[in-house]
Amino acid sequence: MASLTHPAVELLYNGRDVTADLSPYLMSATYTDRLSGEADDLDVELASPSVRDTRWLADWYPDKGVTLRMRYGYRDRLLGDTGEMEVDEIEIAAPPLSVRIRALSAGITRQARTRLGRAYENLRLSQIVDAVAARLGAKRAGRIDPDPLLDRVTQYQEGDWAFLRRLLAEYGYTIKLTENNKTLAVARADHLAEQDDVAVLAPALITAWRYRDKISDVPQKVEVKHHDTQSALVYGKDAATGEVKPVDVRRIHRRARSPEDAAAQAEGEAERHAVDKTALELSLPGEPLLVAGSIVRLEGFARLDGRYLIVEARHSISRAGYTTDLQTRRLP
């Protein structure tokens, strides 16, 4: 963690740098970066000392649908970047005159919400994802592995976005739209765990923390069954050993289209349970390197030491300073 200097904020409105214009009025800016399917958001609060300042109601009125982008961090250091976000909500109040602008990273279009009924036959999971992403006007980033061949998947009068979230959740993946809906980011905890740690967090660096460990209702192994009508066998994967074999159990809780699909679903479900088992919330001085999807290592906390996946990072900069709040999950 680098030594702290003066916090810095740069704002771009429709691609134009408006930092110099807005800095005298900027009260706070908060960026929330999420790993899951929820949109990232940016809240900017501005104020004017005079209620007679009408520029906010005229030339400076922030139109809906335009883009807002923030770079944040410390002077003389590489700044974090929210990417382009679409202005979604505006609030103006007085006295004193204040303006709040809220922007979202993923304005899900009407087309994405339109309910569709479709069937996908004899396609790999990645092929289905890429086809739906193309309809959303996005390209997939992130690998899909395992990538089972699926005999039939049905989109039951669902919007494309809702369908993708449901389908990929069965295999332990999270998805989000980034870069103003141009990229569909697909991730799984075990894939993200392959990257290097971005920071080592010791007690002296943390201002507050809270840890939760779910002891009960966490399965030691997960099995998803597939009934093969040709051989009258039922297949299951033992999440502990990775072995796929016929088992004498016929109760099926979720449809698996093949032994390969059963194994992929079991692996994803086991991964989800392992990651959701623990949660650690942290507050610390602002650090732009800490973003959703990156890994931090905890040291100096005895049994809590280990690697943690950031699932949400909130960066708050105000005249009081810069802080970062993290929600993390412990990697198994």
Side-chain angles (χ1 to χ4, degrees):
M1 306 284 284
S3 60
L4 305 186
T5 56
H6 296 287
V9 170
E10 296 178 0
L11 291 170
L12 288 83
Y13 182 81
N14 261 359
R16 184 172 69 89
D17 191 337
V18 294
T19 305
D21 295 330
L22 296 184
S23 289
Y25 309 98
L26 181 64
M27 300 304 294
S28 68
T30 302
Y31 169 53
T32 304
D33 178 25
R34 300 179 175 91
L35 180 62
S36 69
E38 293 182 72
D40 300 338
D41 62 69
L42 172 62
D43 275 282
V44 176
E45 294 187 12
L46 305 153
S48 176
S50 172
V51 294
R52 297 182 180 179
D53 188 348
T54 60
R55 74 187 77 191
W56 305 107
L57 305 177
D59 295 341
W60 283 23
Y61 188 89
D63 297 320
K64 290 182 67 174
V66 300
T67 61
L68 188 64
R69 184 174 192 158
M70 183 174 78
R71 300 190 182 106
Y72 59 95
Y74 297 98
R75 296 177 193 171
D76 305 321
R77 284 181 54 187
L78 184 66
L79 298 179
D81 194 334
T82 66
E84 276 196 349
M85 309 181 81
E86 185 176 299
V87 173
D88 178 70
E89 185 178 299
I90 303 156
E91 291 181 7
I92 303 177
L97 184 63
S98 62
V99 179
R100 175 178 171 269
I101 305 171
R102 184 169 188 256
L104 299 177
S105 66
I108 304 300
T109 63
R110 179 176 298 178
Q111 177 184 354
R113 294 193 299 265
T114 301
R115 296 178 179 272
L116 301 173
R118 292 176 182 266
Y120 306 85
E121 296 185 344
N122 298 317
L123 295 173
R124 295 279 176 188
L125 177 61
S126 61
Q127 292 175 305
I128 298 174
V129 172
D130 290 345
V132 179
R135 286 205 300 271
L136 294 173
K139 289 187 176 181
R140 170 171 58 92
R143 78 178 193 268
I144 295 179
D145 178 25
D147 188 16
L149 178 65
L150 308 179
D151 62 347
R152 182 180 177 88
V153 175
T154 304
Q155 186 172 347
Y156 297 100
Q157 293 301 315
E158 300 166 283
D160 282 338
W161 181 242
F163 167 66
L164 270 187
R165 290 186 65 182
R166 174 180 65 80
L167 177 63
L168 284 172
E170 294 181 4
Y171 300 91
Y173 292 92
T174 61
I175 60 169
K176 66 184 289 186
L177 282 168
T178 63
E179 298 179 5
N180 206 19
N181 297 346
K182 298 182 182 70
T183 300
L184 179 75
V186 179
R188 223 173 75 157
D190 57 341
H191 298 167
L192 294 171
E194 296 171 2
Q195 64 186 308
D196 295 334
D197 306 336
V198 297
V200 177
L201 303 180
L205 296 171
I206 299 171
T207 55
W209 60 276
R210 181 170 63 181
Y211 182 82
R212 172 186 60 80
D213 189 355
K214 190 172 178 59
I215 304 299
S216 62
D217 298 328
V218 177
Q220 292 184 340
K221 66 177 183 177
V222 176
E223 290 184 345
V224 177
K225 315 300 181 187
H226 165 67
H227 180 216
D228 187 333
T229 56
Q230 299 286 327
S231 61
L233 291 177
V234 178
Y235 294 87
K237 177 177 179 179
D238 188 319
T241 65
E243 185 179 3
V244 179
K245 60 182 180 180
V247 294
D248 189 19
V249 178
R250 297 184 178 273
R251 187 164 46 191
I252 302 173
H253 299 288
R254 182 193 294 168
R255 181 176 183 267
R257 296 102 179 156
S258 66
E260 180 188 19
D261 185 31
Q265 289 192 41
E267 186 175 325
E269 191 72 7
E271 184 75 22
R272 184 181 68 82
H273 279 295
V275 171
D276 287 346
K277 180 178 181 291
T278 60
L280 175 65
E281 298 177 13
L282 300 164
S283 297
L284 62 156
E287 176 50 73
L289 288 176
L290 303 178
V291 297
S294 58
I295 308 294
V296 294
R297 181 179 295 277
L298 211 64
E299 289 186 357
F301 287 83
R303 292 183 64 177
L304 305 190
D305 285 357
R307 305 180 77 221
Y308 289 78
L309 169 66
I310 299 175
V311 296
E312 180 177 302
R314 176 169 296 175
H315 299 269
S316 302
I317 301 177
S318 69
R319 301 197 174 189
Y322 173 21
T323 60
T324 297
D325 296 296
L326 304 177
Q327 292 187 23
T328 71
R329 300 291 184 268
R330 189 172 191 171
L331 291 171

